[in-house]
Structure formats: C-alpha cells, structure tokens
Amino acid sequence: MSDTITTRGPALARPARRLSLGIGATGLRQIGLIAVLLGLWELASHTLFNPFWSSRPSLIAARLWELALSGELWLHTSTTLQEAGAGLLLAAVVGIPLGIVLARAPEVARTLDPVIMGLYGLPRVALAPLFILWFGIGLFSKIMMAFTMVVFIFLMNVMEGIRTIDPDHLDLMKSMRAGRFYLVRRVLLPAVTPWILASFRIGIGLALIGAVVGELIGANRGLGWYVESRGGQLDTTGVFTGLIVLMVLAMLANQLVGFIERRVITWR
C-alpha cells in the first residue's frame, strides 16, 4: 500500500505545478523579454534620442487608451482583421484543393510550374493600384490583395506535403484494400495537416501585409490608413501605435494557430 502511494504522489503533483505556473515557463520568459525591450525603449527615449523620432512606450500606451475610449481602435482594427482574415481563409479554400489536385496530377503540375512560379514571383504590392482600380477602395480590394499574398503559400506547401508521402505506404494500404476515404483520413490528411498549419503561420503576416498595403493605396479606415494618416501629420506616436497593434494581432493569431497545432498534431 505504501509503495502505491509513493508511486502516485509525483504523478499527481505535476498537474498542480503546471496550474500554478499558469501560462508556463516559456510564456513567462516571453513576457519578460517583451517587458525588458519596452523598458529599454522607454529608457533610451529619455536619455539617448529625441522621442519625436521613435516615440516611447508610455506615449503609445496613452494613445491606445485614447483610441479605445473613442472607439477608433476597434474601428480600424476590426477593418484590417476582416480584410486579412477573409483573404487568408479564401487563400486556404482555393490553395489547398488546388495543391491537392496538382500534386495528384504531376504532368499538369510540371506544365503549369513556370506560370505558377512567375505569378508567385510577381511583386503583389505592384498589383495594389490595379485592385483599387478594379474593385474600388472598399473591403473587397483589400481582401483580394491579402488573398494574392497568401494563396501560393498554401498551394506550394500542400503540393510538397503530398509529395512527401511514401509511395510504398500507399501501395501497402492499397494492397490491404483500403478505401479511398480511408486513405485520405489515415494517410493524406496526417501528412498534409502540418504543412497547412505552417501555411497559416506564414500566411498570417502576409495577409496583414496585403491588407495594410491596400489601405495605404486607397482606404478611409483600417490600421494601414491610420498609419499613413498619422505619418502625413508627422505624428510618430500615432505611426508606432498602428504598428504595435499590427504586431500584437500577428502575435495573437500565431499563438492561436500554435494552440490549434498542439491539439491537432498530437504525435509531435
């Protein structure tokens, strides 16, 4: 009986220790790093250079509070989130199936490869004026801008993920008379899922870039528009406020994808 109690004791103690840490040791280190960087920034703005050129965290925090009270923070943030989020999801809806089709048809993929790589290498930022001309300054032009920034990431990652599947594994499953849906569920999806989640990680930043670039060219709201308007008035604090909000959005979205990844890819 005593041996049983002592064996179970450490196993019961581990979850309690995790709960006491809350966000975990890694999260505490990340928060500590951010706090140190902000502290150095604040100190340097008081001692090393004029805050007109780089503002300071205390001024940015005060500006964020003002924008939150006035409602402008939510207005601009929600607009950019809608544009980037819709573009990212549309890129996934188009890029993932297209990548699967091209991976399953290698001759077609080789034929289309020069065109795909040419479109991928095209600076999508240069398309922003055309999108504004074609779709106007509304939401849709920014969604299409974000879409073009991300769709090729999904397309090529899914193709590469399917190519990494061992053909012998597929032949073995087919020799055991595994059905098509069973192969998709047991072989295709487990092989492609990490690549899809990696595409989302990369695509978050690119989708935000696409949305902001579209807002810089032509818009009347959004974080990109706010940064441009503040920059035109030489308001350094306003510019950094918009950039900080964009950074926080990218960080939170990346953490969300990481959370989903840990729940979906349990074998890692």
mmCIF file of all heavy atoms in Angstrom, residues 27-48:
data_model
loop_
_atom_site.group_PDB
_atom_site.id
_atom_site.type_symbol
_atom_site.label_atom_id
_atom_site.label_comp_id
_atom_site.label_asym_id
_atom_site.label_seq_id
_atom_site.Cartn_x
_atom_site.Cartn_y
_atom_site.Cartn_z
ATOM 1 N N GLY A 27 6.023 31.030 -21.523
ATOM 2 C CA GLY A 27 5.234 32.257 -21.576
ATOM 3 C C GLY A 27 5.788 33.340 -20.675
ATOM 4 O O GLY A 27 5.799 34.520 -21.038
ATOM 5 N N LEU A 28 6.259 32.949 -19.501
ATOM 6 C CA LEU A 28 6.851 33.934 -18.588
ATOM 7 C C LEU A 28 8.125 34.525 -19.178
ATOM 8 O O LEU A 28 8.368 35.739 -19.053
ATOM 9 C CB LEU A 28 7.148 33.273 -17.238
ATOM 10 C CG LEU A 28 5.927 32.893 -16.383
ATOM 11 C CD1 LEU A 28 6.368 32.147 -15.139
ATOM 12 C CD2 LEU A 28 5.130 34.144 -16.008
ATOM 13 N N ARG A 29 8.923 33.694 -19.810
ATOM 14 C CA ARG A 29 10.140 34.210 -20.447
ATOM 15 C C ARG A 29 9.803 35.166 -21.584
ATOM 16 O O ARG A 29 10.465 36.198 -21.767
ATOM 17 C CB ARG A 29 10.995 33.051 -20.958
ATOM 18 C CG ARG A 29 11.686 32.251 -19.867
ATOM 19 C CD ARG A 29 12.793 31.390 -20.445
ATOM 20 N NE ARG A 29 12.256 30.394 -21.376
ATOM 21 C CZ ARG A 29 11.883 29.164 -21.018
ATOM 22 N NH1 ARG A 29 11.984 28.781 -19.751
ATOM 23 N NH2 ARG A 29 11.417 28.317 -21.916
ATOM 24 N N GLN A 30 8.774 34.832 -22.364
ATOM 25 C CA GLN A 30 8.374 35.714 -23.457
ATOM 26 C C GLN A 30 7.876 37.057 -22.940
ATOM 27 O O GLN A 30 8.239 38.113 -23.471
ATOM 28 C CB GLN A 30 7.292 35.022 -24.289
ATOM 29 C CG GLN A 30 7.782 33.807 -25.046
ATOM 30 C CD GLN A 30 6.652 33.023 -25.688
ATOM 31 O OE1 GLN A 30 5.486 33.214 -25.366
ATOM 32 N NE2 GLN A 30 6.992 32.134 -26.611
ATOM 33 N N ILE A 31 7.045 37.021 -21.900
ATOM 34 C CA ILE A 31 6.560 38.267 -21.312
ATOM 35 C C ILE A 31 7.714 39.070 -20.726
ATOM 36 O O ILE A 31 7.779 40.304 -20.871
ATOM 37 C CB ILE A 31 5.503 37.963 -20.235
ATOM 38 C CG1 ILE A 31 4.257 37.359 -20.880
ATOM 39 C CG2 ILE A 31 5.131 39.231 -19.460
ATOM 40 C CD1 ILE A 31 3.220 36.911 -19.884
ATOM 41 N N GLY A 32 8.645 38.391 -20.085
ATOM 42 C CA GLY A 32 9.809 39.082 -19.530
ATOM 43 C C GLY A 32 10.651 39.739 -20.612
ATOM 44 O O GLY A 32 11.121 40.876 -20.433
ATOM 45 N N LEU A 33 10.835 39.039 -21.739
ATOM 46 C CA LEU A 33 11.610 39.613 -22.841
ATOM 47 C C LEU A 33 10.939 40.861 -23.384
ATOM 48 O O LEU A 33 11.594 41.886 -23.618
ATOM 49 C CB LEU A 33 11.774 38.567 -23.947
ATOM 50 C CG LEU A 33 12.448 39.054 -25.243
ATOM 51 C CD1 LEU A 33 13.871 39.521 -24.967
ATOM 52 C CD2 LEU A 33 12.428 37.951 -26.305
ATOM 53 N N ILE A 34 9.632 40.797 -23.587
ATOM 54 C CA ILE A 34 8.900 41.962 -24.099
ATOM 55 C C ILE A 34 8.988 43.123 -23.118
ATOM 56 O O ILE A 34 9.185 44.286 -23.510
ATOM 57 C CB ILE A 34 7.431 41.591 -24.377
ATOM 58 C CG1 ILE A 34 7.353 40.574 -25.525
ATOM 59 C CG2 ILE A 34 6.608 42.831 -24.711
ATOM 60 C CD1 ILE A 34 5.968 40.037 -25.769
ATOM 61 N N ALA A 35 8.855 42.838 -21.818
ATOM 62 C CA ALA A 35 8.940 43.887 -20.807
ATOM 63 C C ALA A 35 10.322 44.545 -20.811
ATOM 64 O O ALA A 35 10.443 45.773 -20.687
ATOM 65 C CB ALA A 35 8.619 43.314 -19.422
ATOM 66 N N VAL A 36 11.365 43.738 -20.951
ATOM 67 C CA VAL A 36 12.729 44.286 -20.989
ATOM 68 C C VAL A 36 12.918 45.179 -22.213
ATOM 69 O O VAL A 36 13.484 46.288 -22.117
ATOM 70 C CB VAL A 36 13.760 43.138 -20.983
ATOM 71 C CG1 VAL A 36 15.156 43.674 -21.291
ATOM 72 C CG2 VAL A 36 13.767 42.434 -19.628
ATOM 73 N N LEU A 37 12.441 44.721 -23.376
ATOM 74 C CA LEU A 37 12.583 45.520 -24.597
ATOM 75 C C LEU A 37 11.830 46.840 -24.492
ATOM 76 O O LEU A 37 12.350 47.896 -24.885
ATOM 77 C CB LEU A 37 12.077 44.712 -25.796
ATOM 78 C CG LEU A 37 12.901 43.477 -26.176
ATOM 79 C CD1 LEU A 37 12.240 42.724 -27.328
ATOM 80 C CD2 LEU A 37 14.329 43.869 -26.547
ATOM 81 N N LEU A 38 10.630 46.797 -23.929
ATOM 82 C CA LEU A 38 9.869 48.038 -23.750
ATOM 83 C C LEU A 38 10.545 48.960 -22.750
ATOM 84 O O LEU A 38 10.576 50.192 -22.943
ATOM 85 C CB LEU A 38 8.444 47.719 -23.284
ATOM 86 C CG LEU A 38 7.528 47.030 -24.310
ATOM 87 C CD1 LEU A 38 6.186 46.693 -23.681
ATOM 88 C CD2 LEU A 38 7.341 47.900 -25.539
ATOM 89 N N GLY A 39 11.106 48.378 -21.690
ATOM 90 C CA GLY A 39 11.811 49.194 -20.714
ATOM 91 C C GLY A 39 13.035 49.867 -21.306
ATOM 92 O O GLY A 39 13.305 51.053 -21.042
ATOM 93 N N LEU A 40 13.799 49.137 -22.122
ATOM 94 C CA LEU A 40 14.969 49.729 -22.774
ATOM 95 C C LEU A 40 14.556 50.828 -23.747
ATOM 96 O O LEU A 40 15.228 51.863 -23.858
ATOM 97 C CB LEU A 40 15.750 48.635 -23.512
ATOM 98 C CG LEU A 40 16.456 47.601 -22.633
ATOM 99 C CD1 LEU A 40 17.088 46.512 -23.486
ATOM 100 C CD2 LEU A 40 17.530 48.271 -21.765
ATOM 101 N N TRP A 41 13.467 50.582 -24.463
ATOM 102 C CA TRP A 41 12.948 51.604 -25.391
ATOM 103 C C TRP A 41 12.568 52.871 -24.633
ATOM 104 O O TRP A 41 12.929 53.986 -25.026
ATOM 105 C CB TRP A 41 11.756 51.020 -26.130
ATOM 106 C CG TRP A 41 11.155 51.906 -27.172
ATOM 107 C CD1 TRP A 41 11.577 53.147 -27.559
ATOM 108 C CD2 TRP A 41 10.006 51.613 -27.975
ATOM 109 N NE1 TRP A 41 10.764 53.660 -28.542
ATOM 110 C CE2 TRP A 41 9.779 52.737 -28.818
ATOM 111 C CE3 TRP A 41 9.140 50.527 -28.055
ATOM 112 C CZ2 TRP A 41 8.723 52.779 -29.726
ATOM 113 C CZ3 TRP A 41 8.096 50.573 -28.966
ATOM 114 C CH2 TRP A 41 7.898 51.682 -29.790
ATOM 115 N N GLU A 42 11.848 52.709 -23.527
ATOM 116 C CA GLU A 42 11.441 53.875 -22.725
ATOM 117 C C GLU A 42 12.653 54.612 -22.179
ATOM 118 O O GLU A 42 12.721 55.862 -22.232
ATOM 119 C CB GLU A 42 10.547 53.402 -21.578
ATOM 120 C CG GLU A 42 9.989 54.510 -20.700
ATOM 121 C CD GLU A 42 8.871 55.280 -21.365
ATOM 122 O OE1 GLU A 42 8.222 54.719 -22.267
ATOM 123 O OE2 GLU A 42 8.659 56.449 -20.985
ATOM 124 N N LEU A 43 13.629 53.866 -21.682
ATOM 125 C CA LEU A 43 14.832 54.486 -21.123
ATOM 126 C C LEU A 43 15.622 55.221 -22.194
ATOM 127 O O LEU A 43 16.092 56.356 -21.980
ATOM 128 C CB LEU A 43 15.694 53.414 -20.452
ATOM 129 C CG LEU A 43 17.015 53.875 -19.835
ATOM 130 C CD1 LEU A 43 16.748 54.858 -18.702
ATOM 131 C CD2 LEU A 43 17.818 52.680 -19.329
ATOM 132 N N ALA A 44 15.771 54.574 -23.369
ATOM 133 C CA ALA A 44 16.544 55.202 -24.439
ATOM 134 C C ALA A 44 15.873 56.482 -24.928
ATOM 135 O O ALA A 44 16.556 57.457 -25.279
ATOM 136 C CB ALA A 44 16.726 54.220 -25.594
ATOM 137 N N SER A 45 14.534 56.508 -24.953
ATOM 138 C CA SER A 45 13.836 57.704 -25.426
ATOM 139 C C SER A 45 13.990 58.870 -24.469
ATOM 140 O O SER A 45 13.778 60.031 -24.853
ATOM 141 C CB SER A 45 12.348 57.393 -25.628
ATOM 142 O OG SER A 45 11.718 57.104 -24.393
ATOM 143 N N HIS A 46 14.357 58.580 -23.229
ATOM 144 C CA HIS A 46 14.575 59.650 -22.251
ATOM 145 C C HIS A 46 16.028 60.114 -22.216
ATOM 146 O O HIS A 46 16.306 61.238 -21.781
ATOM 147 C CB HIS A 46 14.175 59.176 -20.851
ATOM 148 C CG HIS A 46 12.695 59.147 -20.616
ATOM 149 N ND1 HIS A 46 11.949 60.272 -20.324
ATOM 150 C CD2 HIS A 46 11.829 58.114 -20.626
ATOM 151 C CE1 HIS A 46 10.680 59.935 -20.165
ATOM 152 N NE2 HIS A 46 10.570 58.629 -20.341
ATOM 153 N N THR A 47 16.960 59.245 -22.636
ATOM 154 C CA THR A 47 18.376 59.547 -22.422
ATOM 155 C C THR A 47 19.204 59.629 -23.701
ATOM 156 O O THR A 47 20.146 60.416 -23.762
ATOM 157 C CB THR A 47 19.012 58.477 -21.504
ATOM 158 O OG1 THR A 47 18.834 57.186 -22.103
ATOM 159 C CG2 THR A 47 18.352 58.496 -20.130
ATOM 160 N N LEU A 48 18.857 58.818 -24.720
ATOM 161 C CA LEU A 48 19.735 58.689 -25.878
ATOM 162 C C LEU A 48 19.268 59.469 -27.094
ATOM 163 O O LEU A 48 20.097 59.947 -27.867
ATOM 164 C CB LEU A 48 19.897 57.212 -26.264
ATOM 165 C CG LEU A 48 20.551 56.310 -25.211
ATOM 166 C CD1 LEU A 48 20.650 54.869 -25.727
ATOM 167 C CD2 LEU A 48 21.953 56.831 -24.849
#
